[in-house]
Amino acid sequence: MGGNLTVRQQFWRWAGASVAGLAHEAQGIPCEDSWRACQTGRPEGTQIVAVCVCDGAGSASRSAAGARLVSWAVAAWLSQHFEMAQSEDSASARHSLVGFVIKWLRRAAGRNEVEIAAYASTVVAVAVRSDGAWVSAHLGDGAIVGRCNGGLRLLSDPMKGEFANETFFVTDEDAAEELRISGSRFQTQTSKPDGFVLFTDGLENALINRRSSQVAPALGRVLDWLDSHSEEKVAKALQSNIRSVLRETTGDDCTLVAMAMSEREGSE
Amino acid sequence: MSECAMEIHKEDLLSNPTNRVPIALALDVSPSMDGEPIQELNEGVRQFFSALKEDRVARLSAEVAIVTFATTADVVLDFQSLERVESPPSVQVGGSSTNLGAGVSLALDILEDRKNVYKEAGIDYFQPWLVLMTDGQPTSDEHLRAAPRTCDLERGGKLVVFPIGIGPGADMDVLAMFSEKRQPLKLKGLNFAQFFEWLSKSVVCVSQSRPGEKLKLDTEGVKGWAEI
């Protein structure tokens, strides 16, 4: 005679917000940032969550649509190809991911009779597995911060050109070569982050010190919120804080997504 | 924890230096500029500084150096924060020739030095600008060495060049050697004030530009100061 065995199960929760920058709002330009999360469950009970935040290029004619499409495509690819992204053959992963994104952009560009450069966008993405393994994909500005043992660490810093208005986009010819893939498999530290924050370049100035790589304490607060509140409440709080505090530090659009690991009781 | 506690405070944020736009003015101060031209030029430069200081972003972002050239080239004002320049120094006519090439070379050298200062300090910066103004013809061949340097930098997207001719004696063919992207323009009369007003607006624009945005100049505004 035996009952179900109660075990603690780990799972990921997330919340995010995109807010148009003050300069865009003043000019009546819609927000050119976007974000997307994709969750997949495996038959063995493993959960994978992939989140991608994107900043559409200001000079691109369909930047808002570009950010939407790219965030969806990257999150979808990472959630389906987590192991491939983690594999030793990172060149294959980089080419497969960029190829998948470009395929969708080509369809949109073809329908609208524009070049795919019209959809130019940056990529800042993280995929996590319920066992704590993670992988990131990053191209262009924006950054990824992780919470490890209670402390915050810059996991992927902004990728910029020599000049402040130069960055990298997924529609660049050499995007697959430039895409930065990182993650638990590539790093020697034993502790896996139990929280991530991804954000676009509008928030860089307020959230990271470019010279020292120091991370703003505000991000620790945001992850704490996610530990103790519903995702809906945190999303609302993010929206309101970006609007009232964070975007005062920039004219640019602002997007921030936080992910935190939780535990719940399950049975085997 | 209540929902109202979910607030980010300004003290939990960081700050970084404002992205800089270094602008070198290379100005002809040979004897032919004496009188009204040099007075109007000085007044235009003063207005340029005032206009930049009035803008919320540009006053922290723009850094302007002034190089003059006649027989020799000299740095009259080196790059520094605008807040430290109460009023730009008036440039004085001097020398007996027009060593335009030496002026451009010196301006490019100090722009390069300034970029290195930014890099060492971890400050992000935009493409440097070079504004070249002359009313005559070069009296040495040094411009033949300086012009390919500006064109190479411009081709690589590392420099924005504005060659401007003053008065009927300006050699527009020589000025055209300094940029492959931008035709030299001739100032309408002594409309320095309008030119520098246009320039300050352009600097304000670039100081607020975001990654991926290209430099868009007010081409309509050019008509206010240039003979087209």
Side-chain angles (χ1 to χ4, degrees):
Chain A
M1 197 174 130
N4 285 342
L5 182 64
T6 303
V7 292
R8 304 291 295 170
Q9 285 182 339
Q10 293 179 321
F11 68 105
W12 288 90
R13 300 163 66 239
W14 66 92
S18 278
V19 177
L22 290 169
H24 278 175
E25 207 167 76
Q27 295 165 45
I29 298 172
C31 182
E32 293 169 346
D33 278 4
S34 193
W35 72 277
R36 184 85 173 214
C38 283
Q39 178 176 214
T40 55
R42 304 279 178 77
E44 74 276 12
T46 316
Q47 174 211 30
I48 289 179
V49 176
V51 166
C52 182
V53 304
C54 288
D55 180 354
S59 58
S61 60
R62 291 174 180 264
S63 51
R68 275 198 306 277
L69 278 169
V70 174
S71 60
W72 167 80
V74 172
W77 189 93
L78 279 172
S79 67
Q80 296 294 328
H81 300 86
F82 184 86
E83 279 74 23
M84 182 183 185
Q86 278 218 315
S87 73
E88 284 181 25
D89 185 6
S90 86
S92 293
R94 284 186 275 114
H95 282 274
S96 174
L97 170 51
V98 172
F100 182 74
V101 174
I102 296 297
K103 182 181 82 179
W104 286 101
L105 294 186
R106 278 198 203 292
R107 288 190 187 182
R111 269 198 314 276
N112 294 293
E113 298 179 347
V114 293
E115 300 290 319
I116 61 162
Y119 297 91
S121 171
T122 61
V123 170
V124 183
V126 169
V128 286
R129 207 166 51 193
S130 39
D131 64 358
W134 64 280
V135 65
S136 67
H138 187 176
L139 185 69
D141 40 29
I144 303 167
V145 166
R147 180 177 63 184
C148 307
N149 298 324
L152 297 173
R153 204 155 57 88
L154 183 59
L155 298 176
S156 194
D157 63 339
M159 296 168 70
K160 291 184 185 292
E162 179 185 356
F163 302 114
N165 50 354
E166 288 180 345
T167 188
F168 300 87
F169 298 114
V170 73
T171 46
D172 293 348
E173 261 180 39
D174 54 355
E177 276 72 40
E178 296 293 340
L179 185 75
R180 183 196 287 161
I181 290 201
S182 188
S184 44
R185 204 193 68 75
F186 304 90
Q187 301 197 340
T188 50
Q189 89 268 7
T190 48
S191 65
K192 292 170 181 164
D194 66 350
F196 293 89
V197 183
L198 297 77
F199 49 90
T200 52
D201 80 299
L203 294 169
E204 277 173 21
N205 266 349
L207 298 180
I208 47 173
N209 182 300
R210 280 199 290 268
R211 199 170 180 202
S212 67
S213 297
Q214 188 197 344
V215 175
L219 296 185
R221 284 181 185 272
V222 170
L223 287 168
D224 290 345
W225 299 346
L226 201 50
D227 290 337
S228 47
H229 290 280
S230 73
E231 286 139 298
E232 291 74 21
K233 277 187 176 173
V234 176
K236 243 167 103 176
L238 282 174
Q239 184 84 18
S240 134
N241 278 283
I242 292 175
R243 199 168 276 282
S244 60
V245 183
L246 288 161
R247 77 169 174 170
E248 296 290 324
T249 63
T250 176
D252 206 354
D253 299 333
C254 300
T255 297
L256 185 147
V257 182
M259 313 163 75
M261 187 183 264
S262 278
E263 279 191 341
R264 63 187 162 206
E265 285 192 350
S267 58
E268 280 188 338
Chain B
M1 206 187 291
S2 66
E3 194 179 343
C4 64
M6 288 200 275
E7 284 175 3
I8 289 173
H9 303 287
K10 283 192 176 148
E11 55 269 27
D12 291 331
L13 303 177
L14 303 173
S15 62
N16 286 279
T18 308
N19 299 334
R20 302 295 206 275
V21 192
I23 304 140
L25 306 179
L27 308 175
D28 187 345
V29 291
S30 60
S32 54
M33 286 288 289
D34 202 12
E36 206 183 345
I38 205 79
Q39 285 170 18
E40 293 293 325
L41 173 62
N42 278 321
E43 185 50 34
V45 171
R46 262 194 295 278
Q47 287 174 11
F48 180 51
F49 275 71
S50 299
L52 293 178
K53 282 179 176 181
E54 278 169 20
D55 184 78
R56 186 178 58 90
V57 179
R59 79 186 153 88
L60 300 171
S61 182
E63 294 193 336
V64 186
I66 301 174
V67 169
T68 57
F69 59 88
T71 307
T72 58
D74 301 287
V75 179
V76 175
L77 179 71
D78 207 348
F79 290 110
Q80 57 196 297
S81 159
L82 284 179
E83 286 170 332
R84 293 173 58 186
V85 186
E86 201 172 320
S87 177
S90 293
V91 298
Q92 309 291 330
V93 167
S96 56
S97 54
T98 308
N99 197 342
L100 188 147
V104 171
S105 294
L106 183 58
L108 293 179
D109 290 345
I110 63 170
L111 278 170
E112 203 56 41
D113 291 346
R114 196 61 183 169
K115 284 203 304 185
N116 289 330
V117 169
Y118 297 149
K119 282 176 197 163
E120 281 166 23
I123 298 172
D124 287 350
Y125 53 93
F126 294 98
Q127 279 92 341
W129 289 20
L130 170 66
V131 178
L132 170 59
M133 303 188 94
T134 182
D135 72 339
Q137 293 183 336
T139 49
S140 78
D141 288 340
E142 201 163 329
H143 65 284
L144 299 175
R145 286 186 293 280
R149 217 176 135 195
T150 59
C151 291
D152 283 350
L153 288 166
E154 187 188 54
R155 220 177 293 124
K158 293 178 184 297
L159 182 71
V160 179
V161 189
F162 297 98
I164 312 291
I166 305 162
D171 190 330
M172 302 306 279
D173 292 333
V174 167
L175 281 170
M177 294 167 69
F178 288 89
S179 173
E180 291 171 352
K181 286 188 179 168
R182 201 162 278 118
Q183 286 289 316
L185 291 170
K186 186 169 274 190
L187 203 64
K188 206 187 274 179
L190 293 175
N191 282 10
F192 288 101
Q194 287 86 341
F195 165 71
F196 280 108
E197 186 189 345
W198 174 87
L199 192 67
S200 64
K201 284 181 181 162
S202 305
V203 174
V204 166
C205 254
V206 80
S207 70
Q208 294 174 3
S209 66
R210 290 178 285 273
E213 285 184 352
K214 293 197 169 70
L215 173 63
K216 281 183 207 149
L217 295 172
D218 173 15
T219 46
E220 198 57 30
V222 170
K223 292 175 188 163
W225 57 267
E227 287 179 9
I228 296 176

